[in-house]
Amino acid sequence: MKTIDTRELAAWLDTTLQASRFKDYCPNGLQVEGKPRVGHIITGVTASEALLRIAIERGADAVLVHHGWFWKNEDPRVRGPRRTRLALTLAHDLNLFAYHLPLDAHPEWGNNAQLARVLGLTPERDADGVPLTCGSGDLIWLGNAPALATLGDLATRVHERLGRQPLVIGDADRPLHRIAWCTGGAQGMLADAIDAGADAYITGEASEPTFHLARETGTGFIGAGHHATERYGAQALGEAVAKQFGIQVEFVDIDNPV
Ligand SMILES: [Zn+2]
């Protein structure tokens, strides 16, 4: 089996995803160091106990996820589920790689780029082909979908492609010109999408104020699921790693209704 030096893989991922460019809520990169060489990676959305157990069962050397550990403002004590996850990882010499905002933003393999591909949205780009973005950290993407005339059409498309019924706020007949999207828990950036002239905003989750802001501005809002909208970045990144280094990479989807 082909393997690669763990540090070399970490350096390639950090550079490719421009990890140092982001102010994030967690450390990005190699969060837990395991075996010195990697030949088999399990990718997933979240480094949960269930994902770790599958990686161990399948004899993987590393786990590569969007949601890793060590979040800001989290209780740092090693107790309960936190202890279980860490103990499993260390006992099996697993490497844990995690990329949060850098994996949302990557122009090709990122969650936003991949969600656009899955939903059939066309990102707006500048003259150099760079996707047009807005909002805090430039995390919101802007684009359109000429085949989808209304908010109702967009909601149907989301339901079909993501395989789950989204939360939809707004008039189903509202015409769509500009669509904005940001995967995950980005409901707090709805106002930025409105400022950018979006007719509809897609993200993963919603909060109580989301409803009123959408209603009072007439903007369409689609809450399509945090997990459901972030399922595609880790997968695409994993495929890129497999292609680059010729090692084995498997994506494991552990469904999450949130
Ligand atoms: Zn997320």
Side-chain angles (χ1 to χ4, degrees):
M1 184 174 75
K2 193 154 192 265
T3 63
I4 174 184
D5 184 273
T6 301
R7 298 288 181 96
E8 193 187 320
L9 175 59
W12 185 83
L13 286 166
D14 285 350
T15 308
T16 304
L17 296 173
Q18 297 189 276
S20 61
R21 200 164 65 80
F22 293 85
K23 272 205 176 69
D24 212 331
Y25 317 100
C26 66
N28 287 302
L30 182 59
Q31 290 192 333
V32 178
E33 191 175 354
K35 293 170 195 164
R37 295 196 70 81
V38 173
H40 182 186
I41 303 177
I42 296 292
T43 61
V45 177
T46 300
S48 61
E49 183 186 336
L51 187 73
L52 296 172
R53 291 199 182 277
I54 290 175
I56 291 161
E57 222 177 80
R58 298 191 189 174
D61 311 308
V63 170
L64 168 59
V65 294
H66 178 52
H67 300 139
W69 302 343
F70 314 120
W71 299 90
K72 245 179 221 168
N73 305 322
E74 188 178 67
D75 183 344
R77 290 176 295 177
V78 183
R79 297 168 59 169
R82 193 181 169 91
R83 181 201 179 275
T84 306
R85 290 175 174 192
L86 200 55
L88 280 171
T89 305
L90 295 175
H92 293 87
D93 245 351
L94 271 178
N95 289 286
L96 172 61
F97 292 95
Y99 291 91
H100 182 234
L101 296 182
L103 187 55
D104 285 320
H106 190 273
E108 193 181 344
W109 307 320
N111 284 318
N112 279 331
Q114 290 295 319
L115 185 66
R117 179 185 62 76
V118 169
L119 295 181
L121 309 176
T122 306
E124 290 176 50
R125 296 179 190 275
D126 69 12
D128 299 321
V130 178
L132 202 62
T133 55
C134 72
S136 153
D138 275 320
L139 290 167
I140 298 176
W141 282 40
L142 300 165
N144 52 65
L148 306 174
T150 64
L151 178 65
D153 295 341
L154 180 61
T156 304
R157 172 66 64 87
V158 168
H159 188 177
E160 285 167 2
R161 299 281 170 92
L162 300 188
R164 51 168 281 155
Q165 182 85 53
L167 168 71
V168 182
I169 302 168
D171 178 2
D173 294 328
R174 176 171 178 135
L176 296 181
H177 304 288
R178 183 173 247 187
I179 302 168
W181 64 95
C182 184
T183 64
Q187 64 269 44
M189 295 200 283
L190 171 59
D192 296 316
I194 295 166
D195 285 346
D199 302 294
Y201 179 56
I202 307 169
T203 186
E205 298 184 49
S207 301
E208 194 275 347
T210 312
F211 173 78
H212 302 290
L213 183 57
R215 262 283 168 89
E216 291 170 22
T217 57
T219 309
F221 175 87
I222 298 185
H226 191 137
H227 176 90
T229 55
E230 297 198 321
R231 224 189 255 140
Y232 305 99
Q235 202 171 345
L237 179 62
E239 284 165 16
V241 168
K243 209 169 154 194
Q244 175 75 19
F245 299 107
I247 60 176
Q248 189 188 352
V249 183
E250 291 177 87
F251 175 73
V252 174
D253 189 30
I254 297 175
D255 198 33
N256 176 342
V258 178

